[in-house]
Amino acid sequence: MLRITLLGVGGQGIKTAEHIIGRVAFLHGYNVQDQPLYGAERRGTPVFAFIRISNTKILSRGYIYSTDFLVVADYYSLLRPELHNFLKRIKKGGIIFFNTVNNEHKVREEFNISDTTQIVTFDLDSMAKKILNSNVLSSGLAGAVCKILDFDLTKLEEAIKIETEEILSSDEHGNELSQLNKNIELAKSTFQSLSSSTINNMILSRDNEYEDFEDNKIISLQNHHPNISKNIITNTGNTMQVIRKGWNLFKPIIDYDKCTKCRICFVYCPDSAITIDKQNFPQVNYNFCKSCNICYTECPVNAIDMKRKNKID
Amino acid sequence: MTEDLVTGNKAAAIAVKLCNVDYIPAYPITPQTEIIEILSRWVLEKKLDAKFVMFESEHSMVTAAGAASLSGVRTFTATSSQGLLYATEMLYNVVGWRSPFVLANVSRGVSSPITLLPDHNDVLSIRDTGFIQIHAETCQDVLDSIIMGYRISEDPMVNIPVLVNLDGFYLSYTREKVDIPDSNYVSEFLPEYIPVSGYINAKNASSLGVAVLDSSAYSYFRYQLHLTTLNVLKMYGDVSKNFEKIFGRKYDLLEGYMLDDADYVIVITNSFSTIAKEAVDRLRKEYGKNVGLLKIRMIRPFPSDDIWKKLAGKKGVAVIDQNISVGGGGILYPEIVSSLYNKDERPETILSFIGGLGGKKITFSEFRYIISVLEEAVKGNPPISKTMLLFTENDWNTVKDMLKMSGKEVE
């Protein structure tokens, strides 16, 4: 069985990418089980997706603990400790796809990844920006994964048509066809930019392999004092302890020459990551910005630009 | 027949379409919403010739479902968790009205604390209402159970609503291969719904759901519900055989997996059965344990005799309840114990485990633990606590971090 895990943030099209990849494997005749996992639907929040592909019946469900193929759509997600663990739990001989401007050497160094894991890096954001003029990566991610798995390009096209039918037909501008064609173009361009790998053989050779697990002791819970066991947060204001700078690929940069101090960005920021300084100018606290694009969209004088981050800061 | 890759929610919607449902009262709640989103879109696009009505609550929604089905239209509705609890008063009522319809419950743990992920405290909280309950393991199971549900519910000898349970996330948003039957096969299996007794008809006035202040009469009607529901266990075999003949898939009240020669048995329900089956395979192959599994598919009426037949002569049984009756323990455990207590060849060791609360995955370590505790108990060293929670050191470390962040110091 081949187990694929996708990591990204809300707005990147992770669920649709999962649906396209799952559909391609299904069209190839494999047994497939796929599932996204996320909390409240919101741009910028973490999204996982899991895909199991097998020649035999799939006797498993839910969260994939250790994966053969990790697809990292949002490079900075890996700064979060619980997601960083995915890197440690890659199966031997596994592969990681990184959407990044950094090269393989840099990525290996930055995340301390051993040579037993294959790494593929590709700047999918720039490709998506060029072809779709957006940050939505679904068809591009599917193109990359399908190339690495040596799947068929015509099946990939068919899968994109099936999986985007309902999404694109609801497009308010009425230009579904050009949207579809652009998505297919993005998938093709990504597909053709990468080289295939040997990972497809893993699907065939690992059919009887069980999902890895960490040996874990079962413990007996004692009753705790209500001070502890009531579901109440006693130290309010602890949001400040949760640094979220790893949640984004882009950061808003305010052009203070253009800014009219209208405070619309301050009002709209859903995370209160924008404050007003003594001169009445807005200031972004990048520790808490999730790059949701709302300030960028709402600014009436286009004084805010979303700038791509190229290092972990 | 076509094969498609669909979610459990979509499988439910497809079943509704195949059954030519006429009326869908609805109210959205995660993780059920996708079902009614798909159905409302199909109604809008005229792919489904039904009336779709959004209500202001699940309480009204279930009332409408019960009343509509008595007027002779095939009715479907769906909810989850808090929605099911909110509708509870009316769930008792529509059973008493003998309204035949199908309700899909997409399981989700109940508040408080609030969660989105599944366990069965929602669906088992309403086990005493009289709804017939079928619990699904796969997306295919969801589709097939809804079709079977209408057949059972609308049978003139039954006329009791059927609840089909599917786990949130693990089925609701999980896509797997589903065989979608052609509609003519469904029509062959499921005749047109023609209410023959106790229905609303303007030409022949009747009064339904009337008050019964006499306690003898109350006892009579309540016990009749019980007897009618028990009859479903007897008629189910024919429905299942007919279903298998037409669709080629067999669904018993219970499913055994590696059960016949097993000494130790894990009893489980719903989608986690799949995870338990993998654990059974692995415990047999890698650890040489003689383990099998028993999945309970129909929970109301409770198939006590069938359970006894499957478990008679086994050395040890571990019941995994994905629910908790606070102050009691697992909900299904005592039902299984009482199914066996007065019987010959009952297993001497029956242990109670609670796992998968709020969708927490039951890992292989936990299954291995269950078998080790079971083996010790069979040897004469029973565990100290009656109910054991499947909870790992990793789980505790995660919780400890959260408690710390919320301002509480532990240990």
Side-chain angles (χ1 to χ4, degrees), chain B residues 169-232:
Chain B
F169 289 78
Y170 287 86
L171 286 188
S172 72
Y173 301 146
T174 298
R175 299 196 309 177
E176 29 185 46
K177 188 185 86 175
V178 174
D179 290 345
I180 300 165
D182 293 339
S183 56
N184 54 324
Y185 286 91
V186 179
S187 313
E188 190 189 334
F189 175 76
L190 181 66
E192 200 188 332
Y193 169 42
I194 302 166
V196 290
S197 65
Y199 66 101
I200 299 166
N201 183 332
K203 284 178 193 158
N204 301 304
S206 57
S207 184
L208 288 163
V210 288
V212 175
L213 299 179
D214 177 85
S215 43
S216 310
Y218 184 83
S219 304
Y220 168 79
F221 286 118
R222 294 297 289 167
Y223 204 70
Q224 282 300 314
L225 277 180
H226 177 62
L227 295 175
T228 304
T229 307
L230 288 181
N231 271 338
V232 172

Coordinates of all heavy atoms in Angstrom, one line a residue, chain B residues 169-232:
Chain B
F169 N -16.3 12.0 9.5 CA -14.9 12.0 9.1 C -14.4 10.7 8.6 O -14.1 10.5 7.4 CB -13.9 12.5 10.1 CG -14.0 14.0 10.3 CD1 -15.0 14.5 11.1 CD2 -13.1 14.9 9.7 CE1 -15.2 15.9 11.3 CE2 -13.3 16.3 9.9 CZ -14.3 16.8 10.7
Y170 N -14.4 9.6 9.4 CA -14.0 8.3 9.0 C -14.8 7.7 7.9 O -14.3 6.9 7.2 CB -13.9 7.4 10.2 CG -12.8 7.7 11.2 CD1 -13.0 8.6 12.2 CD2 -11.6 7.1 11.1 CE1 -11.9 8.9 13.1 CE2 -10.5 7.3 12.0 CZ -10.7 8.3 13.0 OH -9.7 8.6 13.8
L171 N -16.1 8.1 7.8 CA -16.9 7.8 6.6 C -17.4 9.0 5.9 O -17.4 9.1 4.7 CB -18.1 6.9 7.0 CG -17.8 5.4 7.4 CD1 -19.1 4.7 7.5 CD2 -16.9 4.7 6.4
S172 N -17.9 10.0 6.7 CA -18.6 11.1 6.1 C -17.7 11.8 5.0 O -18.2 12.1 3.9 CB -19.0 12.1 7.1 OG -17.9 12.8 7.6
Y173 N -16.5 12.0 5.3 CA -15.6 12.8 4.4 C -14.6 11.8 3.7 O -13.7 12.3 3.0 CB -14.9 13.9 5.1 CG -15.8 14.9 5.7 CD1 -15.4 15.5 6.9 CD2 -17.0 15.3 5.1 CE1 -16.2 16.5 7.5 CE2 -17.8 16.2 5.7 CZ -17.4 16.8 6.9 OH -18.3 17.7 7.5
T174 N -14.7 10.5 4.0 CA -13.7 9.6 3.4 C -14.3 9.0 2.1 O -15.4 8.5 2.1 CB -13.4 8.5 4.4 OG1 -12.8 9.0 5.6 CG2 -12.4 7.4 3.8
R175 N -13.5 9.1 1.1 CA -13.9 8.5 -0.2 C -13.4 7.1 -0.4 O -12.2 6.9 -0.1 CB -13.5 9.4 -1.4 CG -14.0 10.8 -1.4 CD -13.8 11.5 -2.7 NE -12.5 11.3 -3.3 CZ -12.1 11.8 -4.5 NH1 -13.0 12.4 -5.3 NH2 -10.9 11.6 -4.9
E176 N -14.2 6.2 -0.8 CA -13.8 4.9 -1.2 C -14.7 4.4 -2.3 O -15.6 5.0 -2.7 CB -13.7 3.9 0.0 CG -14.7 4.1 1.1 CD -14.6 3.2 2.3 OE1 -13.5 3.0 2.8 OE2 -15.7 2.8 2.7
K177 N -14.3 3.3 -2.9 CA -15.0 2.8 -4.1 C -16.4 2.3 -3.6 O -16.5 1.6 -2.6 CB -14.3 1.6 -4.7 CG -14.9 1.1 -6.0 CD -14.2 -0.1 -6.5 CE -14.9 -1.3 -5.9 NZ -14.4 -2.6 -6.5
V178 N -17.4 2.8 -4.3 CA -18.8 2.4 -4.0 C -19.4 1.9 -5.3 O -19.3 2.5 -6.4 CB -19.6 3.5 -3.4 CG1 -21.1 3.2 -3.3 CG2 -19.0 4.0 -2.1
D179 N -20.0 0.7 -5.3 CA -20.8 0.2 -6.4 C -22.2 0.8 -6.4 O -22.9 0.6 -5.4 CB -21.0 -1.3 -6.3 CG -19.7 -2.1 -6.6 OD1 -18.7 -1.4 -7.1 OD2 -19.6 -3.2 -6.3
I180 N -22.5 1.6 -7.4 CA -23.8 2.3 -7.4 C -24.7 1.5 -8.3 O -24.5 1.4 -9.5 CB -23.6 3.7 -7.9 CG1 -22.7 4.5 -6.9 CG2 -25.0 4.4 -8.0 CD1 -22.2 5.8 -7.5
P181 N -25.8 0.9 -7.7 CA -26.6 0.0 -8.5 C -27.5 0.8 -9.5 O -27.8 2.0 -9.2 CB -27.5 -0.7 -7.5 CG -27.4 0.1 -6.2 CD -26.2 0.9 -6.3
D182 N -28.0 0.2 -10.6 CA -28.9 0.8 -11.5 C -30.2 0.9 -10.7 O -30.6 0.1 -9.9 CB -29.1 0.0 -12.7 CG -27.8 0.0 -13.5 OD1 -27.0 0.9 -13.3 OD2 -27.6 -1.0 -14.3
S183 N -31.0 2.0 -11.1 CA -32.2 2.2 -10.4 C -33.3 1.1 -10.5 O -34.1 0.9 -9.6 CB -32.8 3.6 -10.8 OG -33.0 3.6 -12.2
N184 N -33.2 0.4 -11.7 CA -34.2 -0.6 -11.8 C -34.0 -1.8 -10.8 O -35.0 -2.4 -10.4 CB -34.3 -1.2 -13.3 CG -33.0 -1.6 -13.8 OD1 -31.9 -1.0 -13.5 ND2 -32.9 -2.7 -14.6
Y185 N -32.7 -2.0 -10.4 CA -32.5 -3.0 -9.4 C -33.1 -2.6 -8.0 O -33.6 -3.3 -7.3 CB -31.0 -3.3 -9.2 CG -30.4 -4.1 -10.4 CD1 -29.9 -3.4 -11.5 CD2 -30.3 -5.5 -10.3 CE1 -29.3 -4.2 -12.5 CE2 -29.8 -6.2 -11.3 CZ -29.3 -5.5 -12.5 OH -28.8 -6.3 -13.5
V186 N -32.9 -1.3 -7.8 CA -33.4 -0.7 -6.5 C -35.0 -0.8 -6.5 O -35.6 -1.2 -5.5 CB -33.0 0.7 -6.3 CG1 -33.5 1.3 -5.0 CG2 -31.4 0.8 -6.3
S187 N -35.6 -0.5 -7.7 CA -37.1 -0.6 -7.8 C -37.5 -2.1 -7.5 O -38.6 -2.3 -7.0 CB -37.6 -0.1 -9.1 OG -37.0 1.1 -9.5
E188 N -36.7 -3.0 -8.0 CA -37.1 -4.4 -7.8 C -37.1 -4.8 -6.4 O -37.9 -5.5 -5.9 CB -36.1 -5.3 -8.6 CG -36.5 -6.8 -8.7 CD -35.4 -7.6 -9.3 OE1 -34.6 -7.1 -10.1 OE2 -35.4 -8.8 -9.0
F189 N -36.0 -4.3 -5.7 CA -35.9 -4.6 -4.2 C -36.9 -3.8 -3.4 O -37.4 -4.3 -2.4 CB -34.5 -4.3 -3.8 CG -34.2 -4.5 -2.3 CD1 -34.1 -5.8 -1.8 CD2 -34.1 -3.4 -1.5 CE1 -33.9 -5.9 -0.4 CE2 -33.9 -3.6 -0.1 CZ -33.8 -4.8 0.4
L190 N -37.1 -2.6 -3.8 CA -37.9 -1.7 -2.9 C -39.2 -1.3 -3.6 O -39.1 -0.4 -4.5 CB -37.0 -0.4 -2.6 CG -37.7 0.6 -1.7 CD1 -37.9 0.1 -0.3 CD2 -36.7 1.9 -1.7
P191 N -40.3 -1.9 -3.3 CA -41.5 -1.6 -4.0 C -41.9 -0.1 -3.6 O -41.5 0.5 -2.7 CB -42.5 -2.6 -3.4 CG -41.9 -3.1 -2.1 CD -40.5 -2.9 -2.2
E192 N -42.8 0.4 -4.4 CA -43.4 1.7 -4.2 C -44.0 1.8 -2.8 O -44.6 0.8 -2.3 CB -44.4 2.0 -5.2 CG -44.7 3.5 -5.4 CD -45.9 3.7 -6.3 OE1 -46.2 2.9 -7.2 OE2 -46.6 4.8 -6.1
Y193 N -43.8 2.9 -2.1 CA -44.3 3.1 -0.8 C -45.8 3.4 -0.8 O -46.3 4.4 -1.3 CB -43.6 4.2 -0.1 CG -44.2 4.6 1.3 CD1 -44.7 3.7 2.2 CD2 -44.3 6.0 1.6 CE1 -45.3 4.1 3.4 CE2 -44.8 6.4 2.8 CZ -45.3 5.5 3.7 OH -45.9 5.8 4.8
I194 N -46.6 2.4 -0.4 CA -48.1 2.6 -0.3 C -48.5 2.3 1.2 O -48.4 1.1 1.6 CB -48.8 1.6 -1.2 CG1 -48.3 1.8 -2.7 CG2 -50.3 1.8 -1.1 CD1 -48.8 0.7 -3.6
P195 N -48.8 3.3 1.9 CA -49.2 3.1 3.3 C -50.5 2.4 3.4 O -51.4 2.8 2.7 CB -49.2 4.5 3.9 CG -49.4 5.4 2.7 CD -48.8 4.8 1.5
V196 N -50.6 1.3 4.1 CA -51.8 0.5 4.1 C -52.6 0.8 5.4 O -53.8 0.6 5.4 CB -51.6 -1.0 4.0 CG1 -51.1 -1.3 2.5 CG2 -50.5 -1.5 5.0
S197 N -52.0 1.2 6.5 CA -52.8 1.4 7.7 C -52.2 2.7 8.4 O -51.0 2.9 8.4 CB -52.8 0.2 8.6 OG -51.5 0.0 9.1
G198 N -53.1 3.4 9.1 CA -52.7 4.5 10.0 C -52.0 5.6 9.3 O -50.9 6.0 9.7
Y199 N -52.6 6.1 8.2 CA -51.9 7.2 7.5 C -52.9 8.3 7.3 O -54.1 8.2 7.5 CB -51.3 6.7 6.2 CG -52.3 6.3 5.1 CD1 -52.7 7.1 4.1 CD2 -52.8 5.0 5.2 CE1 -53.6 6.7 3.1 CE2 -53.7 4.6 4.2 CZ -54.1 5.4 3.2 OH -55.0 5.0 2.2
I200 N -52.3 9.5 6.9 CA -53.1 10.7 6.8 C -53.8 10.7 5.4 O -53.0 10.8 4.4 CB -52.3 11.9 7.0 CG1 -51.7 11.9 8.5 CG2 -53.1 13.2 6.8 CD1 -50.6 12.9 8.7
N201 N -55.1 10.8 5.4 CA -55.8 10.8 4.1 C -57.0 11.6 4.2 O -57.9 11.3 5.1 CB -56.1 9.4 3.7 CG -56.8 9.3 2.3 OD1 -57.4 10.3 1.9 ND2 -56.6 8.2 1.6
A202 N -57.1 12.7 3.4 CA -58.2 13.7 3.6 C -59.6 13.0 3.4 O -60.6 13.4 4.0 CB -58.0 14.8 2.6
K203 N -59.6 12.0 2.5 CA -60.9 11.3 2.2 C -61.4 10.5 3.3 O -62.6 10.3 3.5 CB -60.8 10.5 0.9 CG -60.8 11.4 -0.3 CD -60.7 10.5 -1.6 CE -60.3 11.4 -2.8 NZ -59.7 10.6 -3.8
N204 N -60.5 9.8 4.1 CA -60.8 9.0 5.2 C -60.2 9.5 6.4 O -59.1 9.2 6.8 CB -60.3 7.5 4.9 CG -60.9 7.0 3.7 OD1 -62.1 6.9 3.5 ND2 -60.0 6.6 2.8
A205 N -61.0 10.4 7.1 CA -60.5 11.1 8.3 C -60.0 10.1 9.4 O -60.7 9.1 9.6 CB -61.5 12.0 8.8
S206 N -58.9 10.4 10.0 CA -58.5 9.6 11.1 C -57.7 10.5 12.1 O -57.3 11.6 11.7 CB -57.5 8.5 10.7 OG -56.4 9.0 9.9
S207 N -57.5 10.0 13.3 CA -56.8 10.8 14.3 C -55.6 10.0 14.7 O -55.7 8.9 15.2 CB -57.7 11.1 15.5 OG -57.0 12.0 16.4
L208 N -54.4 10.6 14.5 CA -53.2 9.9 14.8 C -52.5 10.4 16.0 O -52.6 11.6 16.3 CB -52.2 10.0 13.6 CG -52.6 9.2 12.4 CD1 -51.9 9.7 11.1 CD2 -52.4 7.7 12.6
G209 N -51.7 9.6 16.7 CA -50.9 10.0 17.8 C -51.8 10.6 19.0 O -51.5 11.6 19.6
V210 N -52.9 9.9 19.2 CA -53.9 10.4 20.2 C -53.4 10.1 21.6 O -52.6 9.2 21.8 CB -55.2 9.7 20.0 CG1 -55.9 10.2 18.8 CG2 -55.1 8.2 19.9
A211 N -53.8 10.9 22.5 CA -53.4 10.8 23.9 C -54.0 9.5 24.5 O -55.2 9.1 24.2 CB -53.9 12.0 24.7
V212 N -53.3 8.9 25.3 CA -53.8 7.7 26.0 C -53.5 7.9 27.5 O -52.4 7.7 28.0 CB -53.0 6.4 25.5 CG1 -53.4 5.2 26.3 CG2 -53.3 6.2 24.1
L213 N -54.6 8.3 28.2 CA -54.4 8.6 29.6 C -54.6 7.3 30.5 O -54.2 7.3 31.6 CB -55.3 9.7 30.1 CG -55.1 11.0 29.3 CD1 -56.1 12.1 29.8 CD2 -53.6 11.5 29.5
D214 N -55.1 6.3 29.9 CA -55.3 5.0 30.6 C -54.0 4.3 30.6 O -53.4 4.0 29.5 CB -56.4 4.2 29.9 CG -56.6 2.9 30.6 OD1 -57.3 2.8 31.6 OD2 -55.9 1.9 30.1
S215 N -53.5 3.9 31.8 CA -52.2 3.3 31.8 C -52.1 1.9 31.2 O -51.1 1.5 30.7 CB -51.7 3.3 33.3 OG -52.7 2.9 34.1
S216 N -53.3 1.2 31.2 CA -53.2 -0.1 30.6 C -53.0 0.0 29.1 O -52.3 -0.7 28.5 CB -54.6 -0.9 30.8 OG -54.9 -0.9 32.2
A217 N -53.8 1.0 28.5 CA -53.6 1.2 27.1 C -52.2 1.7 26.8 O -51.6 1.3 25.8 CB -54.7 2.3 26.7
Y218 N -51.7 2.6 27.6 CA -50.3 3.1 27.4 C -49.3 1.9 27.4 O -48.5 1.8 26.5 CB -49.9 4.1 28.5 CG -48.5 4.7 28.2 CD1 -48.4 5.7 27.4 CD2 -47.4 4.1 28.9 CE1 -47.1 6.3 27.1 CE2 -46.1 4.6 28.6 CZ -46.0 5.7 27.8 OH -44.7 6.2 27.5
S219 N -49.5 1.0 28.4 CA -48.6 -0.2 28.5 C -48.7 -1.0 27.2 O -47.7 -1.5 26.6 CB -49.0 -1.1 29.6 OG -48.9 -0.3 30.8
Y220 N -50.0 -1.2 26.7 CA -50.2 -2.0 25.5 C -49.5 -1.4 24.3 O -48.8 -2.1 23.7 CB -51.8 -2.0 25.3 CG -52.1 -2.6 23.9 CD1 -52.1 -4.0 23.7 CD2 -52.4 -1.8 22.8 CE1 -52.3 -4.5 22.4 CE2 -52.7 -2.3 21.6 CZ -52.6 -3.7 21.4 OH -52.9 -4.2 20.1
F221 N -49.7 -0.1 24.1 CA -49.1 0.5 22.9 C -47.5 0.5 23.0 O -46.9 0.2 22.0 CB -49.6 1.9 22.7 CG -51.0 1.9 22.1 CD1 -52.0 2.5 22.9 CD2 -51.3 1.4 20.9 CE1 -53.3 2.6 22.4 CE2 -52.6 1.4 20.4 CZ -53.6 2.0 21.2
R222 N -47.0 0.8 24.2 CA -45.5 0.8 24.3 C -45.0 -0.6 24.1 O -44.0 -0.8 23.4 CB -45.1 1.3 25.7 CG -45.5 2.8 25.9 CD -44.8 3.7 25.0 NE -43.3 3.8 25.2 CZ -42.5 4.4 24.4 NH1 -42.9 4.9 23.3 NH2 -41.2 4.5 24.7
Y223 N -45.7 -1.6 24.6 CA -45.1 -3.0 24.5 C -45.3 -3.5 23.1 O -44.5 -4.3 22.6 CB -45.7 -3.9 25.5 CG -44.8 -5.1 25.8 CD1 -43.6 -5.0 26.5 CD2 -45.1 -6.4 25.3 CE1 -42.8 -6.0 26.7 CE2 -44.3 -7.5 25.5 CZ -43.1 -7.3 26.2 OH -42.3 -8.3 26.4
Q224 N -46.4 -3.1 22.4 CA -46.5 -3.4 21.0 C -45.4 -2.9 20.1 O -44.9 -3.6 19.2 CB -47.9 -2.9 20.4 CG -49.1 -3.7 20.9 CD -49.0 -5.1 20.4 OE1 -48.7 -5.4 19.2 NE2 -49.3 -6.0 21.3
L225 N -44.9 -1.7 20.5 CA -43.7 -1.2 19.7 C -42.5 -2.2 19.9 O -41.8 -2.5 19.0 CB -43.3 0.2 20.3 CG -44.0 1.4 19.8 CD1 -43.5 2.6 20.5 CD2 -43.9 1.6 18.3
H226 N -42.3 -2.6 21.2 CA -41.2 -3.5 21.5 C -41.3 -4.8 20.7 O -40.4 -5.2 20.1 CB -41.2 -3.7 23.0 CG -40.2 -4.7 23.5 ND1 -38.8 -4.5 23.3 CD2 -40.3 -5.9 24.1 CE1 -38.1 -5.5 23.8 NE2 -39.0 -6.4 24.3
L227 N -42.5 -5.4 20.7 CA -42.7 -6.7 20.0 C -42.6 -6.5 18.5 O -41.9 -7.4 17.9 CB -44.1 -7.2 20.3 CG -44.4 -7.6 21.8 CD1 -45.8 -8.1 22.0 CD2 -43.4 -8.7 22.2
T228 N -43.1 -5.4 18.0 CA -43.0 -5.2 16.5 C -41.5 -5.0 16.2 O -41.0 -5.6 15.2 CB -43.7 -3.9 16.1 OG1 -45.0 -4.0 16.6 CG2 -43.6 -3.7 14.6
T229 N -40.7 -4.3 17.0 CA -39.3 -4.1 16.7 C -38.6 -5.4 16.8 O -37.7 -5.7 15.9 CB -38.7 -3.1 17.7 OG1 -39.6 -1.9 17.7 CG2 -37.3 -2.7 17.3
L230 N -38.9 -6.2 17.8 CA -38.2 -7.5 17.9 C -38.5 -8.4 16.6 O -37.6 -9.2 16.2 CB -38.7 -8.3 19.1 CG -38.2 -7.8 20.4 CD1 -38.7 -8.6 21.6 CD2 -36.6 -7.7 20.5
N231 N -39.7 -8.2 16.0 CA -40.0 -9.0 14.8 C -39.1 -8.7 13.7 O -38.9 -9.5 12.8 CB -41.4 -8.7 14.3 CG -42.4 -9.6 15.0 OD1 -42.1 -10.7 15.4 ND2 -43.7 -9.1 15.1
V232 N -38.5 -7.5 13.7 CA -37.5 -7.1 12.6 C -36.4 -8.1 12.6 O -35.9 -8.4 11.5 CB -37.0 -5.7 12.8 CG1 -35.9 -5.3 11.9 CG2 -38.2 -4.7 12.7

